[in-house]
Amino acid sequence: MSKLSDLPPHMKLFARLLDEVKSDYRPPLPEIHDVPVAFYLDDDWLARERFELFAGYPIIVGHETMLTQAGEHFTHDHLGKPLLIVRGRDDHIRAFYNVCRHRGMRLAQNTEVMRKPSFVCPYHHWAYDLDGSLKNVPLSESFDGVNLSCRGLKEVPCEIRHGFIWVQIGETKPLDLNSHLGEIDADLDAFGTGDQHVFRQTTTTKKANWKLIVEAFQDGYHVVRLHQKSVGPLFMDARASMDRVGNNLRAAVARAFFPEILNAPPEKWDDRNHVSFAHYIFPNTIIVFHPDYISHMGLFPQGVDETVVVHTCLIPKEPETEKERDHWERAFDIIENGVFQAEDFFVCENAQIGMASGANETLLLGAQEYGIALFHDILRDEMGPFRQSPS
Ligand code: FES
Ligand SMILES: [Fe+2]
C-alpha cells in the first residue's frame, strides 16, 4: 500500500479531503470576509493589476499543439500588446511583438492559426523570416547608412512547458516558471497537459471584472445550487479542499462517488473521477480537470467590467472518427455553453451589475468560500491592501 508521504502533492490534498469528509471537518475562513465592491470597479487599481500582475508574470497564450508546422502562427492582443506567436523552421515556438520595425505597422492580422513562409508587412513590404530576422527591404539602398541587421522583430520572452505557451511582456524581471509554478509543476506533469491536444477554443468577452470570474472557480458553495440543472448533481455539496501553492491555488472538489472510497486505500483513489481538481495559476489561469478532458481558461481584463475569456478544451488525442468527434463536440458544448456561459459567466456579469449599483458596499464571504479568501490573500500579498482611488 502507498504511504501518504509517497503520494504526489495533489494526492496529498485528495487525502486531506477524505479526512475532512470522514470527520465532517470544514476549514475556518481565513481573515478576509468582507470585500469592498470598489475592488471590482476601480480603474486605477485595475491599471496596477495589469502592470504588476499581467505584465509581471508568465501568462499562457496558447498550447503548442495549436502550432504543428513551421510557419503556423496566431496573433494575441488580449494582454494589451500586439503579439505574434510563431513556430519556426527549427521547430521552436517564439513570441514577437507583432510590430514592423520600419514604422510600426501590425504585421499579421489573424487571431486564428494560419500558415505563412514569412511575414511581409502590408505597408512597405519589409519581410521577416519565421525566426523574426529581417530578410528583405524593398529599395534597401534608400536606407543607406542604417544598420538593418538589428531590425529583426522584437522578441518577447517565451517558454513551452507542460504543452502551454507562456510569455511575459513586462521587462522588469525574467520569465521564471520554476519559481512561478512551484509544486504546481508536478501537478501539471501528473495530469499530462503536455500530452493533450487542443480540440476547441472559444474567445468571448464577458461584462465582468476578471477577479469575479476567478472567484467563480474557487467557490465550492455554488456548485450544487447554481449548477443544479447541469453538473451540480455530479458533486457533493460544499466539499472541497484547497491548498495555496505560492501564488497559485490547487482545489480538490469531491464528486458524487467520493463517499464510496472514504475507507479505500490510495490505490483505489482516482484523481479524475472521485474529485475534480481545479487549479488557479497566478494571475489569470483556471484549469479544470474533468474526468476525460481538460478546460483551460485564460482571463484577460480589458476594463473593470470587461474580461476576455479564452476557453481551450484539451483532449487526450485527436479524434479519429466522426463518433469520437461528436463525443467531444457534445462534451465541449455542455461545459462551454451549458455550464460556463449560461451559469458561471451569467452570475459574474449579473454580480458586476449588482456591485456597480451601489446597493452594497461590500460583498460577503462565508466559510464555504474559503478558496476565494485565499485568492484575496494572494492578491493582497502581491499588491498590498486595496485602497480605493480618490474619485
Ligand atoms: S511599416 Fe512595415 S514596411 Fe513600412
Ligand atoms: Fe461553477
Side-chain angles (χ1 to χ4, degrees), residues 99-107 120-128 136-138 143:
V99 175
C100 180
R101 299 303 301 277
H102 175 215
R103 277 168 52 199
M105 172 62 192
R106 183 185 181 79
L107 280 179
V120 179
C121 178
Y123 204 166
H124 313 92
H125 288 194
W126 282 30
Y128 300 87
N136 188 47
V137 173
F143 294 95

Side-chain angles (χ1 to χ4, degrees), residues 198-202 292-293 311 313-315 317-338:
V198 171
F199 176 62
R200 290 282 302 277
Q201 186 174 76
T202 55
D292 56 351
Y293 67 99
H311 174 204
C313 172
L314 296 166
I315 61 173
K317 68 179 182 60
E318 298 269 22
E320 286 167 3
T321 63
E322 274 312 301
K323 195 171 162 205
E324 282 179 14
R325 182 165 292 282
D326 282 354
H327 165 79
W328 293 119
E329 287 289 3
R330 274 199 306 279
F332 182 73
D333 180 56
I334 289 168
I335 202 72
E336 164 68 9
N337 296 315

Side-chain angles (χ1 to χ4, degrees), residues 128-142:
Y128 300 87
D129 209 343
L130 302 178
D131 63 1
S133 56
L134 180 60
K135 66 175 199 176
N136 188 47
V137 173
L139 306 176
S140 58
E141 63 277 12
S142 59

Side-chain angles (χ1 to χ4, degrees), residues 216 222 227 344:
H222 79 288
H227 301 305
D344 290 306

